[in-house]
Amino acid sequence: MFDYSISTNCLAQKIILVTGAGDGIGRTAALTYAKLGATVILLGKTVKKLEAVYDEIIAQGSAEPAIIPLDLKGATKQHYLDMSATIVEQFGKLDGALLNASMLGDLTPFTQINEKTWDDVMQVNSTSQFLMTQALIPALLKSEIASLVFTTSTVGHQGRAFWGAYSVSKFAIEGMMQVIADEYENSSLRTNAINPGATRTKMRASAYPAEDQEKLATTEQIMPLYVYLMAEDSKSVNGKVLNAQ
Ligand SMILES: NC(=O)c1ccc[n+]([C@@H]2O[C@H](COP(=O)([O-])OP(=O)(O)OC[C@H]3O[C@@H](n4cnc5c(N)ncnc54)[C@H](OP(=O)(O)O)[C@@H]3O)[C@@H](O)[C@H]2O)c1
């Protein structure tokens, strides 16, 4: 596991957006950030799941979160601009964004990739991240020290048979991360990407249905890197892909 010792309240006063906050890694990241003092903005597709995370955050005694129900498949540039404007209006700034939501699509031979599935995976995993980031950068630059964190995968830097659109979409994420990191190198904004590694979630189970889930890292176990990249200890880290495991 990535080695970082988490100190209590290390995210106090921070406003952090988490996408895909209703389930899997995003859910645990949102709960963890809130526990460490952040006010979290929960973005996701399924409102019920976001409400359940909201309730858990309140129950653990953390600051009241905000909820943004949004399906990245259909969202337009205007949705992201409105979202960013609302964040600035409500909080004055954005200190961190964990762009975590994504979809797997189908694992299939390259010649069998369905065009609609390709478009959906590219839209959710890459294009929406581009539009959202474009809209969020002005809000992030209002923070004295901001962190933009993308989510990649091992197949985002080493192509693998049958991982088709998902793999290609994660290559795009790593490229986007490097472009932004280079453009904002001497600014208050740092940009990196996390490769979570094999983690016990629904997405992993649908990619490897025969695997023993109990042998995989839990979402809680991979949190040290997720916290490190939002905490000020990582302020000089920029343009990197870091492995959570
Ligand atoms: N788990 C692994 O082993 C692993 C390995 C490498 C990389 N990753 C990456 O880690 C990230 C988190 O994955 P996970 O394993 O936690 O997956 P997960 O359990 O399937 O969770 C994915 C999250 O993304 C949200 N989401 C999916 N499509 C969306 C859309 N169109 N609009 C808005 N939200 C959407 C889901 O919301 P709903 O629940 O409402 O659908 C869910 O909250 C992903 O970027 C994934 O590629 C995971």
XYZ file of all heavy atoms in Angstrom, residues 157-236:
627
model
N -1.890 2.985 -19.061
C -0.534 3.251 -19.574
C 0.094 2.013 -20.202
O 1.200 2.055 -20.697
C 0.390 3.868 -18.501
C 0.233 3.296 -17.125
N -0.595 3.863 -16.178
C 0.777 2.219 -16.545
C -0.541 3.139 -15.066
N 0.276 2.138 -15.263
N -0.619 0.908 -20.171
C -0.175 -0.318 -20.853
C -1.433 -0.986 -21.418
O -2.234 -1.526 -20.644
C 0.547 -1.236 -19.844
C 0.975 -2.575 -20.410
C 2.011 -2.444 -21.531
O 3.075 -1.873 -21.342
N 1.686 -2.950 -22.703
N -1.597 -0.892 -22.716
C -2.795 -1.470 -23.337
C -2.872 -2.970 -23.079
O -1.848 -3.640 -22.959
N -4.113 -3.471 -22.962
C -4.276 -4.901 -22.692
C -5.403 -5.446 -23.564
O -6.431 -4.767 -23.734
C -4.618 -5.109 -21.209
C -4.563 -6.578 -20.774
C -4.974 -6.748 -19.317
N -4.121 -6.026 -18.392
C -4.489 -5.701 -17.144
N -5.678 -6.040 -16.683
N -3.670 -5.042 -16.364
N -5.199 -6.660 -24.101
C -6.202 -7.284 -24.966
C -7.566 -7.266 -24.299
O -7.680 -7.554 -23.096
C -5.796 -8.728 -25.264
N -8.569 -6.929 -25.062
C -9.997 -6.976 -24.697
C -10.458 -5.811 -23.800
O -11.637 -5.732 -23.490
C -10.376 -8.320 -24.036
C -9.844 -9.514 -24.783
C -9.035 -10.444 -24.170
C -10.133 -9.668 -26.144
C -8.523 -11.531 -24.882
C -9.629 -10.744 -26.861
C -8.822 -11.686 -26.226
N -9.543 -4.943 -23.384
C -9.942 -3.837 -22.510
C -10.336 -2.590 -23.310
O -10.650 -1.559 -22.732
C -8.854 -3.534 -21.466
C -8.918 -4.548 -20.350
C -8.554 -5.860 -20.424
C -9.432 -4.355 -19.035
N -8.803 -6.493 -19.226
C -9.339 -5.587 -18.348
C -9.960 -3.257 -18.352
C -9.757 -5.755 -17.023
C -10.367 -3.414 -17.031
C -10.264 -4.661 -16.391
N -10.298 -2.713 -24.637
C -10.814 -1.739 -25.600
C -11.006 -0.302 -25.160
O -10.075 0.400 -24.797
N -12.268 0.142 -25.206
C -12.582 1.554 -24.984
C -12.148 2.028 -23.598
O -11.645 3.140 -23.450
C -14.081 1.778 -25.166
N -12.318 1.175 -22.602
C -11.949 1.568 -21.234
C -10.452 1.905 -21.178
O -10.052 2.953 -20.650
C -12.292 0.436 -20.267
C -11.897 0.691 -18.821
C -12.745 1.389 -17.958
C -10.683 0.233 -18.311
C -12.390 1.616 -16.631
C -10.317 0.463 -16.989
C -11.181 1.151 -16.154
O -10.814 1.373 -14.843
N -9.629 1.024 -21.750
C -8.188 1.242 -21.740
C -7.828 2.543 -22.470
O -7.083 3.381 -21.951
C -7.500 0.035 -22.405
O -6.124 0.248 -22.549
N -8.406 2.726 -23.654
C -8.112 3.924 -24.445
C -8.553 5.185 -23.689
O -7.851 6.200 -23.661
C -8.793 3.833 -25.829
C -8.600 5.117 -26.622
C -8.248 2.639 -26.608
N -9.718 5.097 -23.025
C -10.228 6.273 -22.286
C -9.307 6.640 -21.129
O -9.160 7.815 -20.791
C -11.646 6.006 -21.765
O -11.640 5.114 -20.653
N -8.661 5.653 -20.532
C -7.757 5.942 -19.403
C -6.409 6.470 -19.908
O -5.763 7.274 -19.229
C -7.576 4.703 -18.521
C -8.858 4.280 -17.772
C -9.313 5.311 -16.745
C -10.420 4.786 -15.846
N -10.899 5.797 -14.876
N -5.982 6.043 -21.124
C -4.805 6.681 -21.733
C -5.083 8.178 -21.908
O -4.215 9.017 -21.658
C -4.495 6.061 -23.112
C -3.507 4.924 -23.091
C -3.905 3.646 -22.716
C -2.179 5.114 -23.451
C -3.006 2.584 -22.715
C -1.270 4.066 -23.446
C -1.683 2.792 -23.076
N -6.304 8.499 -22.331
C -6.677 9.910 -22.523
C -6.598 10.669 -21.203
O -6.149 11.818 -21.147
C -8.082 10.006 -23.115
N -7.019 10.015 -20.123
C -6.980 10.657 -18.802
C -5.539 10.965 -18.398
O -5.235 12.057 -17.900
C -7.661 9.749 -17.747
C -9.174 9.795 -17.918
C -7.260 10.118 -16.322
C -9.786 11.179 -17.749
N -4.650 10.026 -18.623
C -3.255 10.274 -18.247
C -2.669 11.418 -19.090
O -1.922 12.261 -18.580
C -2.420 8.991 -18.372
C -2.866 7.952 -17.347
C -1.843 6.853 -17.070
O -0.673 6.970 -17.496
O -2.222 5.860 -16.413
N -3.059 11.459 -20.373
C -2.591 12.553 -21.229
C -3.137 13.891 -20.749
O -2.408 14.887 -20.652
N -4.431 13.912 -20.419
C -5.074 15.150 -19.956
C -4.405 15.637 -18.677
O -4.117 16.818 -18.512
C -6.561 14.870 -19.720
C -7.379 16.119 -19.590
S -9.172 15.903 -19.780
C -9.529 14.211 -19.884
N -4.154 14.705 -17.784
C -3.505 15.046 -16.509
C -2.132 15.705 -16.777
O -1.800 16.733 -16.196
C -3.354 13.774 -15.668
C -2.680 13.942 -14.332
S -0.880 13.934 -14.421
C -0.528 12.220 -14.753
N -1.353 15.127 -17.711
C -0.015 15.671 -17.969
C -0.085 17.059 -18.605
O 0.715 17.938 -18.282
C 0.767 14.716 -18.880
C 1.167 13.433 -18.156
C 1.970 12.488 -19.045
O 2.444 12.859 -20.115
N 2.106 11.250 -18.607
N -1.032 17.239 -19.535
C -1.168 18.540 -20.200
C -1.499 19.622 -19.172
O -0.873 20.701 -19.122
C -2.265 18.476 -21.295
C -2.618 19.875 -21.802
C -1.815 17.586 -22.452
N -2.484 19.338 -18.310
C -2.920 20.333 -17.314
C -1.793 20.577 -16.305
O -1.503 21.724 -15.952
C -4.215 19.875 -16.605
C -5.350 19.745 -17.616
C -4.599 20.853 -15.495
C -6.578 19.012 -17.101
N -1.151 19.496 -15.863
C -0.062 19.647 -14.876
C 1.032 20.550 -15.437
O 1.570 21.410 -14.726
C 0.501 18.279 -14.512
N 1.356 20.385 -16.715
C 2.416 21.191 -17.321
C 1.976 22.658 -17.452
O 2.732 23.576 -17.149
C 2.773 20.600 -18.692
C 4.141 21.064 -19.162
O 5.046 21.206 -18.312
O 4.306 21.302 -20.367
N 0.712 22.863 -17.864
C 0.227 24.242 -18.028
C 0.202 25.009 -16.715
O 0.427 26.215 -16.682
C -1.188 24.243 -18.621
C -1.181 24.108 -20.124
C -2.574 24.197 -20.740
O -3.424 24.951 -20.232
O -2.792 23.485 -21.746
N -0.085 24.322 -15.620
C -0.242 25.019 -14.332
C 0.935 24.746 -13.400
O 0.810 24.903 -12.186
C -1.576 24.623 -13.682
C -2.732 25.236 -14.427
C -3.339 24.557 -15.471
C -3.171 26.526 -14.134
C -4.369 25.136 -16.206
C -4.198 27.110 -14.850
C -4.793 26.404 -15.889
O -5.805 26.998 -16.608
N 2.085 24.395 -13.997
C 3.215 23.959 -13.176
C 3.609 24.966 -12.097
O 3.891 24.605 -10.974
C 4.422 23.624 -14.055
C 5.427 22.799 -13.263
C 6.659 22.448 -14.059
O 6.737 22.836 -15.237
O 7.529 21.787 -13.478
N 3.634 26.241 -12.451
C 4.076 27.240 -11.470
C 2.897 27.988 -10.867
O 2.934 29.198 -10.695
C 5.069 28.200 -12.118
C 6.329 27.460 -12.507
O 6.892 26.718 -11.704
N 6.747 27.604 -13.753
N 1.852 27.242 -10.535
C 0.662 27.883 -9.971
C 0.296 27.199 -8.657
O 0.988 26.291 -8.192
C -0.509 27.767 -10.959
O -1.057 26.472 -10.886
N -0.827 27.608 -8.097
C -1.301 27.002 -6.844
C -2.017 25.670 -7.086
O -2.440 25.015 -6.143
C -2.265 27.979 -6.163
O -3.266 28.361 -7.091
N -2.165 25.291 -8.357
C -2.895 24.060 -8.696
C -1.936 22.936 -9.074
O -1.107 23.091 -9.968
C -3.847 24.336 -9.872
C -4.572 23.120 -10.465
C -5.535 22.502 -9.450
C -5.340 23.507 -11.740
N -2.063 21.804 -8.389
C -1.303 20.614 -8.798
C -2.278 19.572 -9.337
O -3.427 19.502 -8.886
C -0.487 20.061 -7.632
C -1.320 19.544 -6.461
C -0.430 19.453 -5.220
N -1.088 18.812 -4.085
C -1.964 19.404 -3.277
N -2.354 20.658 -3.518
N -2.474 18.752 -2.251
N -1.793 18.779 -10.306
C -2.661 17.822 -10.995
C -1.949 16.484 -11.091
O -0.811 16.411 -11.569
C -2.995 18.341 -12.418
O -3.553 19.652 -12.303
C -3.987 17.446 -13.124
N -2.615 15.441 -10.620
C -2.014 14.104 -10.619
C -3.091 13.071 -10.932
O -4.274 13.407 -11.035
C -1.380 13.822 -9.247
C -0.238 14.766 -8.947
O 0.858 14.619 -9.480
N -0.480 15.784 -8.112
N -2.664 11.820 -11.048
C -3.637 10.735 -11.262
C -3.311 9.574 -10.330
O -2.140 9.280 -10.072
C -3.614 10.264 -12.710
N -4.379 8.941 -9.866
C -4.238 7.753 -9.015
C -4.555 6.508 -9.828
O -5.568 6.468 -10.536
C -5.221 7.824 -7.820
C -4.819 8.937 -6.855
C -5.294 6.470 -7.095
C -5.760 9.108 -5.664
N -3.709 5.504 -9.701
C -4.056 4.164 -10.170
C -4.397 3.348 -8.918
O -3.507 2.988 -8.154
C -2.877 3.540 -10.916
C -3.169 2.102 -11.318
O -4.312 1.641 -11.267
N -2.125 1.377 -11.701
N -5.698 3.071 -8.693
C -6.067 2.400 -7.428
C -5.530 0.972 -7.313
O -5.337 0.487 -6.207
C -7.596 2.395 -7.441
C -8.038 2.888 -8.758
C -6.861 3.412 -9.523
N -5.311 0.292 -8.464
C -4.963 -1.127 -8.416
C -6.216 -1.941 -8.110
O -7.279 -1.388 -7.791
N -6.086 -3.260 -8.201
C -7.251 -4.140 -8.021
C -7.901 -3.897 -6.660
O -7.285 -4.107 -5.623
C -6.809 -5.593 -8.148
N -9.156 -3.466 -6.675
C -9.856 -3.070 -5.441
C -11.265 -3.655 -5.441
O -11.924 -3.701 -6.479
C -9.927 -1.524 -5.357
O -8.614 -1.000 -5.539
C -10.463 -1.055 -4.015
N -11.709 -4.058 -4.274
C -12.991 -4.756 -4.117
C -14.187 -3.819 -4.332
O -14.656 -3.169 -3.386
C -13.049 -5.357 -2.710
C -14.076 -6.451 -2.557
C -14.174 -6.923 -1.122
N -12.890 -7.319 -0.564
C -12.691 -7.526 0.743
N -13.671 -7.357 1.606
N -11.498 -7.888 1.174
N -14.652 -3.732 -5.579
C -15.817 -2.897 -5.905
C -16.662 -3.631 -6.948
O -16.236 -4.644 -7.500
C -15.390 -1.544 -6.531
O -14.794 -1.822 -7.807
C -14.420 -0.765 -5.654
N -17.811 -3.023 -7.248
C -18.693 -3.625 -8.271
C -18.027 -3.638 -9.638
O -18.182 -4.569 -10.404
C -19.997 -2.838 -8.335
C -20.842 -3.017 -7.092
C -22.293 -2.626 -7.360
C -23.103 -2.696 -6.088
N -23.113 -1.424 -5.336
N -17.277 -2.574 -9.954
C -16.633 -2.537 -11.265
C -15.628 -3.683 -11.410
O -15.599 -4.378 -12.424
C -15.928 -1.196 -11.497
C -15.340 -1.114 -12.894
S -14.369 0.358 -13.211
C -15.615 1.619 -13.348
N -14.825 -3.882 -10.364
C -13.832 -4.961 -10.405
C -14.538 -6.320 -10.551
O -14.127 -7.185 -11.315
C -12.982 -4.921 -9.126
C -11.967 -6.039 -8.994
C -10.756 -5.848 -9.887
N -9.963 -7.067 -9.960
C -8.804 -7.192 -10.578
N -8.273 -6.155 -11.203
N -8.157 -8.316 -10.609
N -15.647 -6.492 -9.800
C -16.379 -7.770 -9.844
C -16.960 -8.009 -11.230
O -17.020 -9.148 -11.697
C -17.474 -7.770 -8.786
N -17.369 -6.924 -11.922
C -17.933 -7.166 -13.252
C -16.826 -7.442 -14.272
O -17.059 -8.137 -15.262
C -18.863 -6.030 -13.691
O -18.130 -4.871 -13.904
N -15.609 -6.952 -14.017
C -14.497 -7.259 -14.938
C -13.950 -8.665 -14.704
O -13.497 -9.325 -15.634
C -13.380 -6.222 -14.761
N -13.976 -9.110 -13.444
C -13.416 -10.425 -13.077
C -14.434 -11.201 -12.238
O -14.246 -11.380 -11.031
C -12.128 -10.239 -12.262
C -10.994 -9.602 -13.018
C -10.788 -8.232 -12.985
C -10.100 -10.389 -13.762
C -9.735 -7.635 -13.683
C -9.047 -9.804 -14.451
C -8.872 -8.433 -14.413
O -7.830 -7.853 -15.100
N -15.533 -11.672 -12.872
C -16.609 -12.288 -12.089
C -16.198 -13.550 -11.324
O -16.809 -13.870 -10.315
C -17.685 -12.605 -13.136
C -17.066 -12.390 -14.462
C -15.848 -11.561 -14.305
N -15.141 -14.236 -11.800
C -14.778 -15.502 -11.145
C -13.768 -15.303 -10.005
O -13.421 -16.248 -9.300
C -14.186 -16.455 -12.180
N -13.322 -14.076 -9.828
C -12.258 -13.811 -8.857
C -12.787 -13.857 -7.413
O -13.931 -13.494 -7.158
C -11.743 -12.404 -9.162
C -10.572 -11.924 -8.385
C -10.150 -10.550 -8.898
O -11.024 -9.652 -9.035
O -8.963 -10.357 -9.147
N -11.921 -14.256 -6.494
C -12.292 -14.219 -5.079
C -12.130 -12.785 -4.567
O -11.021 -12.311 -4.324
C -11.396 -15.187 -4.294
C -11.753 -15.197 -2.803
O -12.648 -14.427 -2.398
O -11.130 -15.987 -2.063
N -13.249 -12.113 -4.390
C -13.247 -10.687 -3.985
C -12.547 -10.463 -2.640
O -11.991 -9.414 -2.381
C -14.690 -10.178 -3.904
C -15.392 -10.079 -5.240
C -15.077 -8.778 -5.953
O -15.227 -7.704 -5.395
N -14.600 -8.874 -7.180
N -12.625 -11.500 -1.802
C -12.048 -11.372 -0.453
C -10.535 -11.159 -0.488
O -9.951 -10.651 0.447
C -12.370 -12.621 0.380
C -13.858 -12.788 0.711
C -14.419 -11.605 1.478
O -13.803 -11.204 2.484
O -15.468 -11.068 1.065
N -9.914 -11.565 -1.598
C -8.455 -11.444 -1.695
C -8.017 -10.050 -2.142
O -6.827 -9.733 -2.158
C -7.912 -12.490 -2.674
C -8.132 -13.916 -2.174
C -7.141 -14.889 -2.810
C -7.208 -16.232 -2.111
N -7.516 -17.322 -3.031
N -8.986 -9.214 -2.541
C -8.639 -7.883 -3.063
C -8.553 -6.857 -1.943
O -9.196 -6.989 -0.906
C -9.726 -7.425 -4.040
C -9.937 -8.281 -5.283
C -11.153 -7.776 -6.047
C -8.702 -8.255 -6.171
N -7.802 -5.791 -2.203
C -7.749 -4.675 -1.261
C -9.140 -4.069 -1.135
O -9.903 -4.037 -2.108
C -6.784 -3.620 -1.790
N -9.462 -3.603 0.053
C -10.751 -2.914 0.224
C -10.560 -1.438 -0.135
O -9.430 -0.925 -0.182
C -11.237 -2.994 1.681
O -10.286 -2.308 2.505
C -11.391 -4.434 2.144
N -11.681 -0.775 -0.337
C -11.605 0.659 -0.658
C -10.984 1.435 0.513
O -10.285 2.416 0.302
C -13.006 1.208 -0.984
O -13.890 0.923 0.105
C -13.563 0.590 -2.245
N -11.208 0.969 1.732
C -10.629 1.645 2.903
C -9.097 1.519 2.898
O -8.389 2.468 3.226
C -11.178 1.055 4.213
C -12.624 1.430 4.531
C -13.658 0.618 3.749
O -13.274 -0.383 3.111
O -14.845 1.005 3.753
N -8.616 0.335 2.501
C -7.163 0.102 2.549
C -6.379 1.002 1.593
O -5.219 1.297 1.843
C -6.864 -1.379 2.252
C -7.188 -2.286 3.434
C -7.120 -3.774 3.061
O -7.423 -4.170 1.937
N -6.703 -4.591 4.005
N -7.012 1.413 0.485
C -6.254 2.218 -0.492
C -6.335 3.723 -0.214
O -5.787 4.519 -0.976
C -6.697 1.923 -1.946
C -8.170 2.310 -2.174
C -6.450 0.452 -2.304
C -8.575 2.302 -3.653
N -6.991 4.123 0.883
C -7.208 5.547 1.146
C -5.946 6.393 1.422
O -5.966 7.603 1.161
C -8.222 5.753 2.273
C -9.666 5.577 1.825
S -10.151 6.702 0.472
C -10.516 5.537 -0.838
N -4.837 5.824 1.943
C -3.701 6.715 2.220
C -3.300 7.606 1.034
O -3.104 8.817 1.204
C -2.585 5.737 2.617
C -3.343 4.616 3.293
C -4.604 4.468 2.487
N -3.228 7.055 -0.176
C -2.851 7.895 -1.328
C -3.930 8.932 -1.638
O -3.635 10.076 -1.991
C -2.589 7.019 -2.562
C -2.261 7.791 -3.845
C -1.013 8.657 -3.675
C -2.072 6.834 -5.022
N -5.210 8.532 -1.496
C -6.313 9.465 -1.771
C -6.256 10.664 -0.824
O -6.570 11.789 -1.215
C -7.666 8.730 -1.666
C -7.944 7.871 -2.875
C -7.316 6.633 -3.023
C -8.779 8.301 -3.892
C -7.530 5.857 -4.149
C -9.000 7.531 -5.028
C -8.369 6.314 -5.150
O -8.579 5.558 -6.281
N -5.874 10.394 0.421
C -5.778 11.493 1.392
C -4.521 12.319 1.112
O -4.573 13.555 1.075
C -5.758 10.943 2.841
C -5.507 12.064 3.839
C -7.077 10.234 3.146
N -3.401 11.629 0.878
C -2.130 12.328 0.628
C -2.284 13.376 -0.481
O -1.846 14.518 -0.330
C -1.057 11.299 0.251
C 0.241 11.895 -0.232
C 1.090 12.580 0.655
C 0.627 11.785 -1.572
C 2.291 13.135 0.209
C 1.819 12.337 -2.015
C 2.644 13.009 -1.132
O 3.818 13.568 -1.587
N -2.930 12.985 -1.587
C -3.017 13.919 -2.721
C -3.932 15.104 -2.450
O -3.822 16.129 -3.120
C -3.421 13.185 -3.999
C -2.290 12.393 -4.659
C -2.790 11.692 -5.913
C -1.084 13.269 -5.006
N -4.814 14.996 -1.463
C -5.657 16.139 -1.103
C -5.037 16.963 0.029
O -5.382 18.131 0.215
C -7.052 15.666 -0.668
C -7.919 15.180 -1.797
S -8.209 16.485 -3.021
C -8.953 15.501 -4.342
N -4.116 16.356 0.775
C -3.519 17.048 1.919
C -2.345 17.923 1.445
O -1.771 17.688 0.374
C -3.037 16.029 2.938
N -1.988 18.905 2.257
C -0.958 19.860 1.815
C 0.431 19.245 1.752
O 1.331 19.809 1.125
C -1.032 21.118 2.682
C -2.402 21.763 2.457
C -2.578 23.177 2.966
O -1.624 23.721 3.575
O -3.676 23.726 2.773
N 0.616 18.062 2.344
C 1.905 17.369 2.250
C 2.295 17.081 0.797
O 3.470 16.900 0.490
C 1.845 16.032 3.004
C 1.894 16.235 4.510
O 2.370 17.296 4.960
O 1.446 15.333 5.243
N 1.315 17.028 -0.088
C 1.617 16.692 -1.495
C 1.723 17.939 -2.362
O 1.702 17.835 -3.592
C 0.534 15.763 -2.048
O -0.724 16.421 -2.069
N 1.874 19.108 -1.751
C 1.753 20.337 -2.552
C 2.804 20.472 -3.662
O 2.567 21.167 -4.641
C 1.709 21.571 -1.665
C 2.964 21.907 -0.945
C 2.783 23.221 -0.185
C 4.073 23.560 0.514
N 3.904 24.003 1.876
N 3.934 19.778 -3.532
C 4.944 19.905 -4.596
C 4.869 18.760 -5.614
O 5.689 18.677 -6.524
C 6.336 19.952 -3.966
O 6.522 18.768 -3.223
